[in-house]
Amino acid sequence: MPEPISHHAQLFLDDHLIGDQVNLCREMQQPVKHPDNPLFGQDRPWEAQCLVYVSVLFDEDGDRFRCWYMAAEAFRQILPDQPEIAKLGKYYVCYAESIDGIHWTKPAVGRSGLSDHAGHNIVIPGGHGVCVLKTPDDPDPRRRYKAVGGNVVACSPDGIAWTLRDWADAVGKNDTCPSLVQWEGQYLAYVRNQEDDP
């Protein structure tokens, strides 16, 4: 009996969805890092403290890879009660893109008002690493992209201009880039929640 599958792309990592195979064999390869790594680095003032938590999608409509990543300015505040710890500065979610996934550009797509910097690629202010999901089947064109991370849940028509909502009441304090998936008509976010020790 045929296995029901969705209209989404399928990963054939095992034989679960393979009905039959003739004159074929699966050969697993060891992944190898590209020799030019890192493929892009901290070359903007608003990235001076860090550049982490990357979300990358291939956009068939634009025929390119799109990347959203977290950056922070070089702002150091020594905590008086813990002088060995330096607090990070402002967080941002920034945007980059690539035709081949190797050579990246950081187009100045950020709106004015999101940063004091001119010609920036900041698309979400204050974001703490987001997971971005493209949902072309959403009937509302303003919600074609979804993002979650930190205390932010957001929607966007193009992955650049975002409408933000705070979801701290739902998830509490969390960090580390979450995972966002669409499953059986629902959106599920997997986050790392931070609780105070009892």
Side-chain angles (χ1 to χ4, degrees), residues 111-131:
R111 298 187 318 247
S112 62
L114 293 184
S115 171
D116 296 335
H117 299 284
H120 63 82
N121 65 333
I122 297 167
V123 294
I124 299 177
H128 191 281
V130 297
C131 181

Side-chain angles (χ1 to χ4, degrees), residues 110-182:
R111 298 187 318 247
S112 62
L114 293 184
S115 171
D116 296 335
H117 299 284
H120 63 82
N121 65 333
I122 297 167
V123 294
I124 299 177
H128 191 281
V130 297
C131 181
V132 176
L133 181 66
K134 185 178 181 185
T135 57
D137 54 338
D138 194 311
D140 186 344
R142 298 170 299 173
R143 299 168 49 91
R144 293 288 157 82
Y145 290 83
K146 318 280 193 293
V148 296
N151 65 338
V152 170
V153 59
C155 295
S156 171
D158 57 8
I160 301 296
W162 293 90
T163 301
L164 310 180
R165 286 192 2 228
D166 190 304
W167 72 333
D169 290 344
V171 297
K173 180 173 179 6
N174 66 95
D175 66 0
T176 307
C177 193
S179 294
L180 176 64
V181 297
Q182 186 178 11

Side-chain angles (χ1 to χ4, degrees), residues 60-119:
E60 294 88 354
D61 297 334
D63 197 27
R64 63 193 161 166
F65 292 93
R66 306 184 75 190
C67 174
W68 295 264
Y69 62 95
M70 188 188 94
E73 292 188 46
F75 169 78
R76 298 174 65 84
Q77 175 185 355
I78 304 303
L79 302 180
D81 55 338
Q82 297 173 300
E84 72 282 1
I85 297 177
K87 185 178 177 183
L88 289 177
K90 293 180 182 178
Y91 295 114
Y92 301 105
V93 174
C94 302
Y95 175 78
E97 61 187 28
S98 171
I99 299 299
D100 59 6
I102 305 297
H103 304 93
W104 290 86
T105 62
K106 300 175 184 178
V109 294
R111 298 187 318 247
S112 62
L114 293 184
S115 171
D116 296 335
H117 299 284

